[in-house]
Amino acid sequence: MERQSTYTATATIDEQGIVTSWSEGAQRLLGYDSPTVVGRPAAVLLAADGSAARRIATGNARWNGTVPLWHRDGRLLELGVLAHRRTSDTGVTDWLVVSAVTARTQPPRGEPLEEWTFLQSPFPLAIFDGDLRLVRANRRMEHALALPEAAMRGLRLPHIAPGAASEEAARSMRLALDSGRPQVCPARLGPDLGRGAVFTPLKDAGGRVRAVCLSTQSPTQETAARQRPSRESSRVGMAADQARAAQELGEVTVPRLADAVTVDLLDSPLGPGEEPAPLPGPVVLRRAALRVVPNGEGPAYGTGVGGAVVCPSDSPPAQCLAAGRPLLYDTTDAIVAEWVAVDPGAAWLRASGAHSLLAVPLLTQGSTLGVALFGRRPGRERFGPEDLRLAQEFTAKAAAGIQQARAYSRSRTTTMALQQSLLPHTLPDQAALEIATRYLPAATRAGVGGDWFDVIPLSGARVALVVGDVVGHGIRASATMGRLRTAVRTLADVDLPADELLTHLDDLVLRLAADEGSADPSAETAGGIGTTCLYAVYDPVSRRCTLARAGHPPPAVVTPDGAVRFLDVPAGPPLGLGGLPFEAIETELPEGSLLALYTDGLFEAREHDIDEALDKMFAALGRPASSLDAVCDHVLTALLTHRPDDDIALLVARTRVLHEDRVVAWELADDPEDVSRARRLACDQLSAWGLAEASFPTELMVSELVTNAIRYGRPPIQLRLIHQDSTLICEVYDCSTTTPHMRRARIFDEGGRGLLLVAQLAHRWGTRHDRIGKTVWAEQSLTAP
């Protein structure tokens, strides 16, 4: 749990100097709550003439220094702040201002020699405490980040260098603290830092992890390291999949350590104390890598990579796995000769002409993953102690890489399965929109994200379209996505207006964040805070579309004449900030208009900037296409040249219209005698539509709904029938806000059975509330049950 003496205050300020967000830390620091500050000029907080604010605004991309600010109680505070200039995908620019508040005393400096070593190291070094806040940074790190230690002290890495790389690095740092084992993050944290940051846990005398050290290289050091063959061993264990990790072991050790090497893996790793198989049964392995130096006759591979290798219980691989330690053999030993004679998987050893064999188990975290076999030909010395030490070092790195790749693969598979189960498998039947969708998962090690889309049929032939993007990656993001998608469907089912729906969704994210934050205070994105969402409802009768968005990119529309533009939907804050309003707009879409909803991963390609990406998307949307699937393909082909770094959800819809010959409405008098007229009008209209067989149930439903509106509602009262393909919809509107409820009538009750009758006759029914009044609707399926 975060110490009470240290916290971070954050705020965002737009280009006009207006405060747009205010964190709990900022409220704790200066005493002002969010409603008091948000929407006001930031200059009102300054205790000077505004020169500090001007220094920030005229900076390039970052500014740090001391700013005098007024506390709510009148005190003057001199605060060190760090401000980052940010530009969103939509071109909106603002400033993220952060300040670390700490009462923690600085850790004691070490002996002079140790202090000089830390400060003057040629490698960038930084130390973060148990709350992931920076406490020390050496001169090389200060130079690489272009910030003094004093400006960074007390801040977490995502606040020092905002971006996806820092978020990924923070997760690796947390894992190093929790596990007590070093972690490697392949992301580049800044232009003056190399790839592959290493996080080393720092332990006290009792073995308790107290801090973590971040170390990396400068780009020039990184280049030089790649050019030194003696450092090739660092490649081992860095691959993204287990096959590649095993192959790297062969690439690094042949011919440096051996003339031939194989890596054979168990399908299921063995835990501590487990034997590979009950003796005398064989051990079944799978060959992951085989590398042999040609001896003039060409390499001999024996059993191919990927194939099964069945090792007898008395063979060197099986004995090595059972012993759990390296074993050294001469190929003239009887055990080796017998194994080579009977096992096709050992053909490589005979073909390579090796005279010395070294078997090393692949061990990591108490588990046995498999075995690596190294062979040397005559002309080289037999394996000795130094070779054994080097082989163990290499195999330990390879085992860690294989284990990490397996864990990543399992996590990604689980996350993909979870996400696929939550996304719609088929689009629902509806006639208002023609729809095509695409979903592309990210190709990064961060894992699958929480992007989602949905198509929800509503009453009155309307359809809701939803596209959202949950912050983060992995199982947590997918689980949060499932919660939010279920919530949207529930809220849409009660026909909430678009802006109110997002408000309820915002409250849900706040509750999820509170629940998850209490369980894991380090999870700064707990519950999906920062999630974006776009919600749209299209009505094919009125041809109008209502839209609202929560920090999500605006939708694009292509009119029937080929013009492409963004719909001017107010941005709204991302979900989870709380206390800020959402605004909906309504626009008319001509028949045949094309509506494109998407997530921001579509514009995160590395080869082009945002303006170029927008131009390409507009050109792809406006390009003639034979189908909406072709439109999706045009967009993705134009914007993507490789697997995306972030998830992409794309939903394209073409509007249809229910013309006047399919919709009819009548105004009714507030008189029980007008119920018979309503029944007659409905029956006559069904005859005109050729639906006479539906007259009887429709007549009963019209009678009950109109009677309820006259008896319990308020005028004006309207009856509307909608014929949509194989569906007939009956709607009755009145000005009362009272919601009808179905109840169980007793034997001698004269009423109370109307809605029960409607529920039995209709495929589905419900009530939706308008700005004024309500509509009770019942939908019949005209197809045979």
Side-chain angles (χ1 to χ4, degrees), residues 13 59 204 219 304 338 382 465 471 509 522 599 645 660 675 734:
I13 304 172
D204 58 18
E338 293 175 3
R382 286 177 166 78
L465 303 177
V471 66
V509 172
S522 66
T599 54
D645 296 330
E660 294 179 356
V675 175
D734 72 84

PDB file of all heavy atoms in Angstrom, residues 13 59 204 219 304 338 382 465 471 509 522 599 645 660 675 734:
ATOM      1  N   ILE A  13      -3.792  20.878 -18.396  1.00  0.00           N
ATOM      2  CA  ILE A  13      -4.134  22.252 -18.772  1.00  0.00           C
ATOM      3  C   ILE A  13      -4.156  22.331 -20.286  1.00  0.00           C
ATOM      4  O   ILE A  13      -3.226  21.854 -20.951  1.00  0.00           O
ATOM      5  CB  ILE A  13      -3.105  23.247 -18.200  1.00  0.00           C
ATOM      6  CG1 ILE A  13      -2.990  23.101 -16.678  1.00  0.00           C
ATOM      7  CG2 ILE A  13      -3.461  24.680 -18.571  1.00  0.00           C
ATOM      8  CD1 ILE A  13      -1.871  23.905 -16.064  1.00  0.00           C
ATOM      9  N   GLY A  59       7.494  26.507 -23.802  1.00  0.00           N
ATOM     10  CA  GLY A  59       8.493  25.463 -23.909  1.00  0.00           C
ATOM     11  C   GLY A  59       8.246  24.588 -25.114  1.00  0.00           C
ATOM     12  O   GLY A  59       7.238  24.689 -25.808  1.00  0.00           O
ATOM     13  N   ASP A 204      17.934  -6.160   1.075  1.00  0.00           N
ATOM     14  CA  ASP A 204      18.666  -5.818   2.293  1.00  0.00           C
ATOM     15  C   ASP A 204      19.372  -7.058   2.831  1.00  0.00           C
ATOM     16  O   ASP A 204      19.338  -8.138   2.215  1.00  0.00           O
ATOM     17  CB  ASP A 204      17.732  -5.198   3.330  1.00  0.00           C
ATOM     18  CG  ASP A 204      16.578  -6.127   3.696  1.00  0.00           C
ATOM     19  OD1 ASP A 204      16.681  -7.338   3.433  1.00  0.00           O
ATOM     20  OD2 ASP A 204      15.570  -5.634   4.241  1.00  0.00           O
ATOM     21  N   PRO A 219      22.341   4.641 -26.828  1.00  0.00           N
ATOM     22  CA  PRO A 219      22.309   4.060 -28.180  1.00  0.00           C
ATOM     23  C   PRO A 219      23.690   3.719 -28.718  1.00  0.00           C
ATOM     24  O   PRO A 219      23.862   2.721 -29.414  1.00  0.00           O
ATOM     25  CB  PRO A 219      21.612   5.146 -29.001  1.00  0.00           C
ATOM     26  CG  PRO A 219      20.762   5.881 -28.013  1.00  0.00           C
ATOM     27  CD  PRO A 219      21.554   5.883 -26.748  1.00  0.00           C
ATOM     28  N   GLY A 304      14.053 -34.312 -37.189  1.00  0.00           N
ATOM     29  CA  GLY A 304      13.913 -32.906 -37.496  1.00  0.00           C
ATOM     30  C   GLY A 304      13.393 -32.097 -36.326  1.00  0.00           C
ATOM     31  O   GLY A 304      12.795 -32.613 -35.387  1.00  0.00           O
ATOM     32  N   GLU A 338      25.181 -47.262 -26.754  1.00  0.00           N
ATOM     33  CA  GLU A 338      23.904 -47.976 -26.844  1.00  0.00           C
ATOM     34  C   GLU A 338      22.765 -47.014 -27.209  1.00  0.00           C
ATOM     35  O   GLU A 338      21.871 -47.361 -27.969  1.00  0.00           O
ATOM     36  CB  GLU A 338      23.603 -48.666 -25.510  1.00  0.00           C
ATOM     37  CG  GLU A 338      24.579 -49.800 -25.178  1.00  0.00           C
ATOM     38  CD  GLU A 338      24.327 -50.374 -23.797  1.00  0.00           C
ATOM     39  OE1 GLU A 338      23.349 -49.913 -23.139  1.00  0.00           O
ATOM     40  OE2 GLU A 338      25.086 -51.268 -23.372  1.00  0.00           O
ATOM     41  N   ARG A 382      38.252 -32.079 -24.725  1.00  0.00           N
ATOM     42  CA  ARG A 382      36.996 -32.497 -24.133  1.00  0.00           C
ATOM     43  C   ARG A 382      36.475 -31.399 -23.195  1.00  0.00           C
ATOM     44  O   ARG A 382      37.229 -30.573 -22.704  1.00  0.00           O
ATOM     45  CB  ARG A 382      37.177 -33.812 -23.366  1.00  0.00           C
ATOM     46  CG  ARG A 382      37.329 -35.027 -24.284  1.00  0.00           C
ATOM     47  CD  ARG A 382      37.581 -36.289 -23.489  1.00  0.00           C
ATOM     48  NE  ARG A 382      37.401 -37.483 -24.287  1.00  0.00           N
ATOM     49  CZ  ARG A 382      38.299 -37.943 -25.162  1.00  0.00           C
ATOM     50  NH1 ARG A 382      39.450 -37.304 -25.322  1.00  0.00           N
ATOM     51  NH2 ARG A 382      38.051 -39.031 -25.865  1.00  0.00           N
ATOM     52  N   LEU A 465     -24.884   1.357 -32.052  1.00  0.00           N
ATOM     53  CA  LEU A 465     -23.529   0.952 -32.408  1.00  0.00           C
ATOM     54  C   LEU A 465     -22.588   1.415 -31.301  1.00  0.00           C
ATOM     55  O   LEU A 465     -22.669   2.561 -30.843  1.00  0.00           O
ATOM     56  CB  LEU A 465     -23.104   1.576 -33.739  1.00  0.00           C
ATOM     57  CG  LEU A 465     -23.997   1.293 -34.948  1.00  0.00           C
ATOM     58  CD1 LEU A 465     -23.472   2.038 -36.170  1.00  0.00           C
ATOM     59  CD2 LEU A 465     -24.070  -0.200 -35.236  1.00  0.00           C
ATOM     60  N   VAL A 471      -8.223   0.821 -21.471  1.00  0.00           N
ATOM     61  CA  VAL A 471      -6.803   1.096 -21.292  1.00  0.00           C
ATOM     62  C   VAL A 471      -6.087  -0.175 -20.836  1.00  0.00           C
ATOM     63  O   VAL A 471      -6.629  -0.982 -20.089  1.00  0.00           O
ATOM     64  CB  VAL A 471      -6.610   2.234 -20.274  1.00  0.00           C
ATOM     65  CG1 VAL A 471      -7.068   1.817 -18.891  1.00  0.00           C
ATOM     66  CG2 VAL A 471      -5.158   2.685 -20.235  1.00  0.00           C
ATOM     67  N   VAL A 509     -17.198   2.629 -14.096  1.00  0.00           N
ATOM     68  CA  VAL A 509     -15.740   2.562 -14.133  1.00  0.00           C
ATOM     69  C   VAL A 509     -15.147   3.079 -12.821  1.00  0.00           C
ATOM     70  O   VAL A 509     -14.169   2.519 -12.309  1.00  0.00           O
ATOM     71  CB  VAL A 509     -15.206   3.358 -15.343  1.00  0.00           C
ATOM     72  CG1 VAL A 509     -13.678   3.458 -15.290  1.00  0.00           C
ATOM     73  CG2 VAL A 509     -15.623   2.689 -16.644  1.00  0.00           C
ATOM     74  N   SER A 522      -1.198  -0.495  -6.544  1.00  0.00           N
ATOM     75  CA  SER A 522      -0.231  -0.174  -7.595  1.00  0.00           C
ATOM     76  C   SER A 522      -0.858  -0.156  -8.969  1.00  0.00           C
ATOM     77  O   SER A 522      -0.254   0.317  -9.924  1.00  0.00           O
ATOM     78  CB  SER A 522       0.907  -1.203  -7.577  1.00  0.00           C
ATOM     79  OG  SER A 522       0.421  -2.491  -7.945  1.00  0.00           O
ATOM     80  N   THR A 599     -11.174   2.284 -33.351  1.00  0.00           N
ATOM     81  CA  THR A 599     -10.356   2.600 -32.179  1.00  0.00           C
ATOM     82  C   THR A 599      -9.045   3.217 -32.635  1.00  0.00           C
ATOM     83  O   THR A 599      -8.656   3.100 -33.803  1.00  0.00           O
ATOM     84  CB  THR A 599     -10.089   1.346 -31.336  1.00  0.00           C
ATOM     85  OG1 THR A 599      -9.527   0.315 -32.170  1.00  0.00           O
ATOM     86  CG2 THR A 599     -11.381   0.823 -30.729  1.00  0.00           C
ATOM     87  N   ASP A 645       0.645  -2.417 -33.534  1.00  0.00           N
ATOM     88  CA  ASP A 645       1.208  -2.369 -32.193  1.00  0.00           C
ATOM     89  C   ASP A 645       0.124  -2.250 -31.130  1.00  0.00           C
ATOM     90  O   ASP A 645       0.389  -2.429 -29.945  1.00  0.00           O
ATOM     91  CB  ASP A 645       2.165  -1.181 -32.070  1.00  0.00           C
ATOM     92  CG  ASP A 645       3.367  -1.322 -32.991  1.00  0.00           C
ATOM     93  OD1 ASP A 645       3.764  -2.469 -33.259  1.00  0.00           O
ATOM     94  OD2 ASP A 645       3.896  -0.293 -33.452  1.00  0.00           O
ATOM     95  N   GLU A 660     -42.171   5.727 -46.026  1.00  0.00           N
ATOM     96  CA  GLU A 660     -43.499   6.036 -45.489  1.00  0.00           C
ATOM     97  C   GLU A 660     -44.495   4.905 -45.689  1.00  0.00           C
ATOM     98  O   GLU A 660     -45.451   4.781 -44.933  1.00  0.00           O
ATOM     99  CB  GLU A 660     -44.029   7.319 -46.139  1.00  0.00           C
ATOM    100  CG  GLU A 660     -43.212   8.551 -45.765  1.00  0.00           C
ATOM    101  CD  GLU A 660     -43.752   9.795 -46.432  1.00  0.00           C
ATOM    102  OE1 GLU A 660     -44.707   9.657 -47.242  1.00  0.00           O
ATOM    103  OE2 GLU A 660     -43.232  10.893 -46.170  1.00  0.00           O
ATOM    104  N   VAL A 675     -60.902   3.250 -28.530  1.00  0.00           N
ATOM    105  CA  VAL A 675     -60.127   2.003 -28.597  1.00  0.00           C
ATOM    106  C   VAL A 675     -60.583   1.158 -29.786  1.00  0.00           C
ATOM    107  O   VAL A 675     -59.769   0.563 -30.506  1.00  0.00           O
ATOM    108  CB  VAL A 675     -60.264   1.224 -27.276  1.00  0.00           C
ATOM    109  CG1 VAL A 675     -59.560  -0.139 -27.389  1.00  0.00           C
ATOM    110  CG2 VAL A 675     -59.705   2.032 -26.123  1.00  0.00           C
ATOM    111  N   ASP A 734     -47.793   8.122 -24.978  1.00  0.00           N
ATOM    112  CA  ASP A 734     -48.582   9.110 -24.240  1.00  0.00           C
ATOM    113  C   ASP A 734     -47.625   9.972 -23.426  1.00  0.00           C
ATOM    114  O   ASP A 734     -46.441   9.653 -23.294  1.00  0.00           O
ATOM    115  CB  ASP A 734     -49.629   8.439 -23.344  1.00  0.00           C
ATOM    116  CG  ASP A 734     -49.010   7.757 -22.144  1.00  0.00           C
ATOM    117  OD1 ASP A 734     -48.773   8.451 -21.138  1.00  0.00           O
ATOM    118  OD2 ASP A 734     -48.746   6.533 -22.216  1.00  0.00           O
TER     119      ASP A 734
END
